[in-house]
Amino acid sequence: QVQLVESGGGLVQAGGSLRLSCAASGRAFSSYYLAWFRQAPGKERELVVIIGRSGPTLYYTDSVKGRFAIPRDNAKNTVYLQMNSLNPEDAAVYYCAADLVYRPSEYKHWGQGTQVTVSS
C-alpha cells in the first residue's frame, strides 16, 4: 500500500498562484494512477484531475482547464498541483488519491487533505 501526505495549502488572493504537493510513501509509486479531488464546505467532493502512471493528464474538470498543471516526479514519489489564476470558487480542501487502476472515484488510497483559501 501507499500513504499520501498533502501540503502547500494556505491563503492566497484571487488571481494568485499556489502549488500543492502530495508526497507518497510506499512501494511502486510509478505504478499508481493519481488524482486530485477537492471539497468545498457544504458541497460534494469534486474530481479535479487524474494523472497517468507516466505523467500524462487523463482528465481535467472544465473549471480548471488552462489554469492548473500537474507535474509528477516519480523519482521523488511526489505529485504536484500547480494552481494559477485562482478564484474564490477554487477554495476547498484538496485531497490527493492513488490507485493501481484507472477510475473516476472510490480511490483506494487517500491523503489527509490540505486547505486552500482564496480571498476576493
Side-chain angles (χ1 to χ4, degrees):
Q1 61 182 20
V2 61
Q3 297 182 358
L4 308 173
V5 179
E6 301 98 334
S7 62
L11 174 65
V12 63
Q13 292 184 338
S17 298
L18 200 63
R19 189 179 76 166
L20 307 182
S21 299
C22 176
S25 298
R27 297 170 60 87
F29 175 77
S30 63
S31 296
Y32 286 84
Y33 294 90
L34 299 170
W36 284 97
F37 290 82
R38 64 186 181 184
Q39 187 167 24
K43 297 183 178 180
E44 295 183 354
R45 187 174 61 201
E46 176 189 20
L47 173 63
V48 180
V49 299
I50 302 175
I51 310 302
R53 289 172 291 185
S54 61
T57 301
L58 304 180
Y59 172 84
Y60 270 116
T61 190
D62 286 343
S63 64
V64 308
K65 286 183 178 178
R67 299 190 297 119
F68 289 11
I70 311 90
R72 176 172 181 163
D73 190 340
N74 286 340
K76 295 183 178 180
N77 282 12
T78 301
V79 65
Y80 305 91
L81 183 63
Q82 177 65 50
M83 304 183 292
N84 302 314
S85 300
L86 286 163
N87 58 64
E89 288 69 42
D90 296 314
V93 177
Y94 283 73
Y95 301 88
C96 62
D99 212 313
L100 289 171
V101 299
Y102 178 87
R103 63 207 315 161
S105 63
E106 303 298 325
Y107 277 70
K108 188 174 183 179
H109 306 284
W110 292 83
Q112 83 289 349
T114 186
Q115 177 73 53
V116 173
T117 303
V118 183
S119 63
S120 60

